[in-house]
Amino acid sequence: MAKNKPVMTLDVPADQKEPERQRAVKIDHYLYRWVPYWGAPQWLQADRWRQFVRNQSIAIICRDTLINNVLSMDWTLSARKSEDMGRADVREAIDFYTELFENAEGDFDTYTELMLQDMLDLPFGAASELGRENDDPEGAVLWMEHIDGGTLVPTANPDFPVMQSVKEVPGRTVVFPKHSVARMFMSPRPEITRTGWGMAPPEKAYLAIEMLFRGDKYYSNLLLDTPEAGILDLMDMDKESAEEWLDSFRSLFQGVDGMKVPVLYEHEKEAKWIPFNRPPTDMMYDSITLRYAQIVAAAYGLRLSDIGMDEMGGGKTLAGVIRGERQTRRNGFAMVRTKLENHFNSIVPKEIRFTWVDDDAEAKLASGKALVAVGQGLTQLVTAAILTREESRKEIVAQGLLKTEIDPNAAPDEPKPENPMAGMFGGADPFGQGNGEAGRPAFPFSGKDDDKVPASQGGRGGMSPLLTRSASGKKRPDQKTRDELLAEMTAIFKPGIDAIVTKAEDIRIRRLVKATVRAMVPTVSRIFESMDDEMVEKFYLPEMEALEAGEPSQLDDPIVVRANEDIKAELDKHLGDDPWWRTLSKLEKTRIVAVLARSYSVGLQDMALAIVRALYEEGLRSTPELIGLSFDLTNKRTLKQLADYAADLVRWVDDGTKYYIKRVVMAGVRQGLARPTIARALRDGVSAEWVLSQEDFMGDVQDFVRRGLTDMSKRRTESIVETEVNRAENMGRLGQLVRSGMTQKAWVHRGERGVTAAGNVHPCPICEANEKLGYVPVDFQYETVFTKRTGEKSPTPPAHPNVCHCEIEFDDTELLSKLASGDYMPWLGK
């Protein structure tokens, strides 16, 4: 009989308890945090990127700024080779494609906006469908239409590069052959799995845009959430009192009774609210947001100032703004213009070129300066026989500074003229003659006794021949007489101007330098903060010199100009207090009038002799000489005009001297402050007195100023003497012309033509332009080198300081019609 086995019973605890001595790790679900992936996404869907951009206004503004910059520019189609411009088929093609672009998507602006929005938003970029004649790959484009870039994908097939699939039209896929689609996109992806895709700015700056979006969302929630999440610490209240207060607080806010005032009681310590989030000030919300906005703008090739926001750091200074604007033109704006230019050039025939018309004055100025600098350098190399003209032409073509395509192997007949008036600071008036404090005095126009000058402009150009006789046969005034006039005028001006160097004692120069340093250091210190030593030397100094010379300058800013004017005003006080720089007295004025009167008489005689010789050449007189006539200016009205002019000339010379002294002192101080050791100290905030205490600073600036004054003394005397004697002679010629009944005059260059051994161009561009006007009314006012700066014009040569080989000539046809009898009595100046 089998034994009964004991029954096993299961030990089940009566109460559910937490496991004892548990070994596995367990995470408590209280305040559990889910951390999302933080990195750049791999989306290709266009809808997601478009929505992503729409959620952040900074990205939209950057995109629209680039688009608006392009829309503000004009464009043109031209022949790729200049010699093709004469071809009728090329002109016809230009007209056809111009109309095609203007009417694309209704108008050019709409088409451009659609293309750029896709290119700046989507990984695929932008594309348009091209309708070619007979669907021929080489056929003309008859129409072009933007395609939604969100429906397109690249195929990596060069013959059929693009495929379209629209989710609203399932089951249909379109493949575009190469000749029927024009595409543009940014930053091609190098991964083999992303071949054909690009990376638009939103993808480049994804994390920064996401941070801006989260920051906006955080701040909006902070403003909208009421009350904010947190804990109310009641400090020393016991549990029962706190719970009772909380129940009463809930009851209090039930119902519609308007008088609800919650109170706290039974505690001694102040209750404290502990928020769950952090206030914006602790998070540096404003500066962090601005930093991310900078990153987003940089992804588009822009700066915050380009979209109307304030910059951070050095970008706020003038130099920083200028440097930033240059960078933007090279980055964002240049990128968009280049992409569009290549896009349109892929559509037009290869004989035609699409180009933007850039009206940016600063860019044109920089391009012009580069062209001039290279041209001057090549001219010196050619003059020194290091390069030939053909080699220099090839080099300037290779530099890529010319918009027009030229044959590098075909040199022109004559070299390109350059401005012969370039002076110490690159200006047209090298010795301070033109833009003095009071401006140049106007030389009196002397004609008939009434001397009424009608306001007349314009000329007849080439309506009648300029000269019917040989210029080489024209008899000049006695050279000995002219040399005497120049010597007399030199004897008047030279002692006073030379004395300036002697009077400019060290103590006087130091006084001016100290005043300039103290006035200049505050402005220069702020400018140097955002410049390194190389930028100071290669940008600041040349641009300031151009500004001082009245030429276009990138530092032509109201703040800089005002600071310069303040410095000049300070120097005016010191120079006015001690007028050691004055050169002429009333005695010199009387001597000047005498020389001007003799020069005027020489001009009277010269024009009278020219008229007589012209009549003799035509057989209307028996002798080509003036016999028994003495030309001596005694006409009281004309002498009074010369006396008034001499008084203005004395004042003008003194004003010009003071103007030049201020200019050379400011230039010397500026050079001294730009020395690397001084510039670095200025960035650290040193004072003007520290600068003045530095060894060699004052000595170097004094040497600079003294060299400038010495150079001025010699060259300025020669310039004034040549100019004033020449002007008086030509005014005498004009006076004789008017007294002889002539109504027309012409500007004629009498010297040699071409480039001299010294590299000067004869005639200069201004004189050549005046000569090309042909015959004009006798009261016509010609352009001079001073016209652009002071508005000054002149009825006669010279057009510039120093030697001018031009003079006034009469119209042969008018002369023969008025003096057909040959009877002629010149005006002797009585």
Side-chain angles (χ1 to χ4, degrees), residues 302-318:
L302 300 173
R303 302 169 75 249
L304 289 183
S305 59
D306 297 321
I307 61 174
M309 296 179 64
D310 290 335
E311 293 288 349
M312 296 180 65
K316 295 181 180 180
T317 63
L318 174 62

Side-chain angles (χ1 to χ4, degrees), residues 110 655 782:
T110 301
D655 288 343
Y782 292 102

Side-chain angles (χ1 to χ4, degrees), residues 129-135 139-145 179-180:
E129 184 178 6
L130 308 179
R132 296 186 179 271
E133 188 175 14
N134 299 324
D135 202 21
V141 177
L142 303 180
W143 54 268
M144 51 193 294
E145 185 175 312
H179 68 271
S180 68

Side-chain angles (χ1 to χ4, degrees), residues 421-432 545 549 660 663-665 667-668 671 704-705 707-709 711-712 715:
M421 303 308 299
M424 173 180 172
F425 293 95
D429 181 21
F431 310 113
E545 289 175 2
Y660 186 84
R663 187 166 156 186
V664 75
V665 169
Q671 291 277 358
F704 182 95
V705 173
R707 287 196 304 271
L709 295 179
D711 184 62
M712 176 201 72
R715 295 176 179 270

Side-chain angles (χ1 to χ4, degrees), residues 212-258:
L212 286 175
F213 173 70
R214 294 190 182 200
D216 292 344
K217 188 175 180 181
Y218 154 78
Y219 195 69
S220 64
N221 289 337
L222 188 67
L223 297 177
L224 298 176
D225 287 351
T226 305
E228 64 176 318
I231 297 174
L232 179 62
D233 188 351
L234 297 178
M235 305 301 286
D236 58 346
M237 288 182 67
D238 56 42
K239 178 180 178 182
E240 291 76 10
S241 298
E243 290 176 347
E244 182 181 351
W245 177 85
L246 184 60
D247 290 337
S248 64
F249 183 81
R250 289 171 179 167
S251 302
L252 178 66
F253 280 95
Q254 292 178 356
V256 295
D257 187 358

